[in-house]
Amino acid sequence: MEIIRVIVTRLAYAVALLMAVLVLNFTLIHMAPGDVADTIAQSMGGADEEILDRIRADYGLDQPFLIQLFNYMGRVLSFDLGYSFFYSMPVTELILQRLPATLLLVFSAQILAMIVGVVLGVISARRPNGILSHFVTFFALFGYSAPVFWTGILLLIGFSLNIQWFPVAGMRDVTIEGGFWVHTFDVLRHLVLPVIALSSIFLALYSRLSRATMMETLGSDYVRTAKAKGLSTRSVVYKHALKNALSPVITLAGLQFSAVVSGAVLVETVFSWPGLGTLAFQSIIARDTPTILGILFFSALMVVIGNLLTDFALRAVDPRMRGR
Amino acid sequence: MSDQATQAPVKAQSPQAPVKAQSPLSEAWDMFKHNHAAMLGLVLLVIIILGAVFGPYLYPGEPFEMVWAPFTPPGTDGYLLGTDYLGRDLLAQIIHGSRVTLIIGLSAAIVTVVIGVTIGALAGFYRGMVEEALMRFTEFFQVLPTLLFSMVIVALFGASLPMITLAIGIVSWTAVARITRSEFLRIRELEYVMASRASGASNAKLMFKVILPNALPPIIVQSALMVGSAILFEAGLSFLGLTDPNVISWGQIIGSNRQYILESSFTVTIPGLAIFITVLAISLVGDGLNDALNPKLRKR
């Protein structure tokens, strides 16, 4: 089966990429001044050379680089990312605790950006000189030029300090009591501003791209044929043209995964969203190297999975992609 | 016919405009001049650069010194933009910060372009195994979440300005590499390149003297946009506090005043506005360059 062969090669390639990330990770810590032994010694309040050497022997830090590298990769492949001395817990556990919050934020933002972006793009493509079209152009420029953390702070000032519609920070209100729906609604209320802030960057990209492809498609021969057949404009635009305008947007969205993760770090920091981004920020301030590297690995994993999903989504939407 | 760029993936081939007796540069400038948005961007950019160069002499305020009560609103007692949480003059901070912001933006973009053009040119010129290996390398860097990776570099190796510049450059070059490669792939098959190859030009000469000049237009556009994204990048890093504490930058002003938005919001909104306007000016210029250097896009 063709499709199985494709899936297997893609997966193998993804695994190879992740291994490369691990090698890079490890090389980076190795090159950086100071090592785990120093960190442990620091958290104990200092230690002499002899104790440092003992710690190094305990953690295998006295072995040659390649052996250490293999040990490290072996551990990571068994989902052991090391131990965080700052949070006093295994890194894997720490990350898995924070991962759902980040996934929720990132996916909501991407979906919002894609839906609103495509809708704006399609509407403005139908009236290239209308008010909405100019609005889209302006909005695209704003989304590209405004620092996302600033957008976040502006939303915060506007909608939770001045007009108190949304909570200032966090993901849930611990004082709220009630059933499942009450809590879900609470999380959604906390989610609104961070999602808007994060999607602002991508919304601009998607609306601009879908406007361009839509204008291109609307001028093409097959759309003219469909119109000549007597189909209504609505059916031509939304059934025939939209399908074709969608696949570049999906491709672009797939390329944005790494940017989304980066944006999430800033947005989470602004809104104290308890995800991987705040964790990354805190562990960098605390110089908690195992946690930082664990997050880097997990984010790369997220990007790789995102790319795989995009690839398969594209195959589903666009028959021309099959067999490649 | 001029061998200008054809970076117009969605546009159908339209016949090129008849060649006028005009140099490509002055033709491009003519296009650019009539683009109001691009000219607005250019004017803004010139003002910002002049402000960064001469500002500290015209407005000799000390950005690190406490001059007045904290959170003085803008316009009070001669402090045009007010003071921050430590009572430091915000205008002085913005003026001094503009230098760091612009210098890092520019030098990180240069690092980006040097790495990207080298890798893209080698991949597009040699093809085969070299291309395969280099493009895999590029994809690898696309998988790394850019901001996180540069945070890690800065955290591990220290937050000096050169290290921040390098950290931004290392994570941002992939787009430039891909554009350069696709231009090289296209141009290397053109007849004039074959002619120089046949007349015995060395590979280095073919790459840098024969192909590169004609591949430049889209690279220039991308580099202009790179300056903007490097500025945003630097702002993000310094907002998170990953910056040299002894130099002031716009992102850092926002980061350090962020906790006090209840007391005063302008210490956050004003520096953010400065970043926004600068990056906006650069993107307007970049878009204008794209239209001016890209003849196939002209009839939009």
Side-chain angles (χ1 to χ4, degrees):
Chain A
M1 278 278 282
E2 174 68 16
I3 185 76
I4 293 179
R5 195 186 60 82
V6 171
I7 293 177
V8 169
T9 32
R10 290 293 147 97
L11 279 179
Y13 182 50
V15 171
L17 272 180
L18 287 174
M19 300 292 251
V21 172
L22 283 182
V23 173
L24 179 77
N25 259 357
F26 191 78
T27 317
L28 274 181
I29 345 179
H30 210 82
M31 278 164 56
D35 60 5
V36 182
D38 291 322
T39 321
I40 299 172
Q42 245 174 32
S43 66
M44 299 191 313
D48 56 18
E49 261 321 296
E50 200 182 325
I51 300 183
L52 278 177
D53 282 341
R54 244 189 34 223
I55 301 174
R56 288 202 177 98
D58 281 350
Y59 284 85
L61 295 173
D62 51 349
Q63 303 202 343
F65 174 78
L66 276 180
I67 294 189
Q68 282 191 51
L69 176 63
F70 278 118
N71 288 339
Y72 172 71
M73 291 177 77
R75 283 198 304 271
V76 173
L77 291 181
S78 57
F79 285 101
D80 173 13
L81 289 170
Y83 190 83
S84 161
F85 293 95
F86 183 70
Y87 292 95
S88 317
M89 66 194 291
V91 173
T92 316
E93 207 176 299
L94 188 62
I95 289 178
L96 288 179
Q97 233 175 42
R98 303 289 197 103
L99 190 62
T102 294
L103 288 180
L104 179 65
L105 175 68
V106 162
F107 277 100
S108 318
Q110 273 286 48
I111 289 169
L112 180 77
M114 280 176 85
I115 293 175
V116 179
V118 169
V119 169
L120 284 181
V122 169
I123 298 176
S124 66
R126 292 184 62 188
R127 288 189 188 77
N129 289 314
I131 295 175
L132 193 79
S133 185
H134 291 300
F135 176 75
V136 167
T137 316
F138 171 79
F139 199 71
L141 276 170
F142 181 88
Y144 180 79
S145 311
V148 63
F149 56 90
W150 182 64
T151 315
I153 296 177
L154 288 186
L155 287 170
L156 203 65
I157 293 173
F159 296 102
S160 42
L161 297 181
N162 288 343
I163 319 173
Q164 294 169 350
W165 284 353
F166 299 105
V168 177
M171 184 166 138
R172 43 171 69 94
D173 187 345
V174 282
T175 58
I176 280 190
E177 281 181 35
F180 173 75
W181 290 110
V182 177
H183 282 287
T184 309
F185 181 69
D186 181 44
V187 170
L188 285 180
R189 252 169 52 91
H190 283 84
L191 187 64
V192 173
L193 292 184
V195 163
I196 294 178
L198 185 53
S199 60
S200 70
I201 328 170
F202 307 102
L203 208 142
L205 280 177
Y206 301 154
S207 61
R208 207 150 101 151
L209 180 67
S210 54
R211 176 165 173 258
T213 34
M214 205 55 192
M215 283 172 78
E216 175 84 10
T217 331
L218 285 180
S220 67
D221 287 340
Y222 80 93
V223 167
R224 204 170 308 139
T225 313
K227 274 188 195 158
K229 277 198 313 189
L231 292 180
S232 69
T233 321
R234 183 176 290 266
S235 142
V236 171
V237 170
Y238 292 101
K239 275 202 183 140
H240 293 71
L242 185 61
K243 249 190 187 166
N244 266 283
L246 219 52
S247 74
V249 174
I250 295 179
T251 313
L252 183 66
L255 287 174
Q256 298 303 316
F257 268 100
S258 123
V260 181
V261 173
S262 298
V265 176
L266 293 167
V267 170
E268 285 185 9
T269 309
V270 170
F271 291 96
S272 315
W273 187 259
L276 283 184
T278 24
L279 183 67
F281 173 60
Q282 288 158 350
S283 51
I284 277 179
I285 298 298
R287 313 223 146 242
D288 183 359
T289 319
T291 311
I292 301 171
L293 293 178
I295 295 172
L296 195 60
F297 174 71
F298 252 82
S299 331
L301 183 70
M302 269 165 36
V303 176
V304 166
I305 294 177
N307 287 348
L308 282 176
L309 290 179
T310 316
D311 214 36
F312 294 129
L314 266 183
R315 274 162 200 282
V317 197
D318 192 343
R320 283 169 299 183
M321 287 295 293
R322 287 172 207 153
R324 270 198 211 169
Chain B
M1 296 292 278
S2 68
D3 275 306
Q4 295 278 2
T6 49
Q7 273 302 104
V10 290
K11 285 284 161 188
Q13 270 79 25
S14 60
Q16 293 207 348
V19 182
K20 285 178 218 149
Q22 203 181 13
S23 84
L25 262 183
S26 78
E27 198 183 338
W29 170 242
D30 268 358
M31 277 289 297
F32 193 88
K33 220 165 43 177
H34 291 107
N35 185 338
H36 296 305
M39 281 310 278
L40 173 72
L42 187 63
V43 170
L44 280 175
L45 199 58
V46 169
I47 294 175
I48 294 164
I49 292 173
L50 289 179
V53 175
F54 299 109
Y57 305 110
L58 297 175
Y59 188 85
E62 191 36 65
F64 282 109
E65 229 165 62
M66 179 167 178
V67 291
W68 208 247
F71 308 123
T72 310
T76 323
D77 300 314
Y79 294 105
L80 202 58
L81 297 182
T83 59
D84 75 347
Y85 75 112
L86 288 177
R88 302 180 293 193
D89 184 357
L90 194 61
L91 181 58
Q93 289 189 309
I94 300 253
I95 290 175
H96 282 263
S98 65
R99 291 188 160 191
V100 173
T101 304
L102 290 181
I103 288 173
I104 292 205
L106 200 64
S107 43
I110 292 174
V111 174
T112 305
V113 172
V114 169
I115 304 178
V117 167
T118 312
I119 290 189
L122 289 174
F125 187 80
Y126 285 107
R127 316 210 40 191
M129 287 291 281
V130 178
E131 183 186 14
E132 185 75 10
L134 287 175
M135 289 333 278
R136 292 295 182 223
F137 185 64
T138 310
E139 278 166 32
F140 168 64
F141 270 88
Q142 283 180 314
V143 167
L144 292 171
T146 47
L147 184 68
L148 261 183
F149 186 51
S150 54
M151 280 165 78
V152 170
I153 295 178
V154 173
L156 288 178
F157 297 96
S160 62
L161 292 189
M163 192 49 83
I164 293 171
T165 308
L166 197 67
I168 299 174
I170 285 179
V171 296
S172 334
W173 55 269
T174 51
V176 179
R178 289 163 65 106
I179 288 174
T180 310
R181 168 177 160 267
S182 68
E183 280 301 286
F184 265 65
L185 283 178
R186 183 181 65 85
I187 296 174
R188 76 191 290 279
E189 305 298 336
L190 295 180
E191 277 160 11
Y192 86 99
V193 179
M194 304 225 179
S196 339
R197 194 191 291 272
S199 62
S202 67
N203 280 344
K205 188 183 171 196
L206 280 177
M207 255 194 279
F208 295 107
K209 287 233 167 108
V210 180
I211 302 182
L212 188 60
N214 282 299
L216 275 181
I219 298 176
I220 291 173
V221 171
Q222 186 64 30
S223 320
L225 297 177
M226 245 37 246
V227 178
S229 68
I231 288 177
L232 286 179
F233 217 110
E234 189 278 333
L237 282 175
S238 51
F239 167 75
L240 293 172
L242 291 166
T243 180
D244 188 337
N246 300 314
V247 288
I248 243 157
S249 76
W250 291 341
Q252 189 204 14
I253 305 176
I254 302 181
S256 53
N257 284 292
R258 170 167 84 89
Q259 295 148 275
Y260 309 100
I261 47 173
L262 270 180
E263 284 87 348
S264 79
S265 52
F266 61 88
T267 45
V268 169
T269 46
I270 293 174
L273 202 61
I275 301 173
F276 171 60
I277 292 174
T278 309
V279 180
L280 181 69
I282 294 171
S283 4
L284 288 176
V285 171
D287 276 359
L289 280 178
N290 192 27
D291 293 348
L293 296 175
N294 220 336
K296 292 215 167 161
L297 282 175
R298 280 181 189 177
K299 292 189 199 66
R300 249 206 282 226

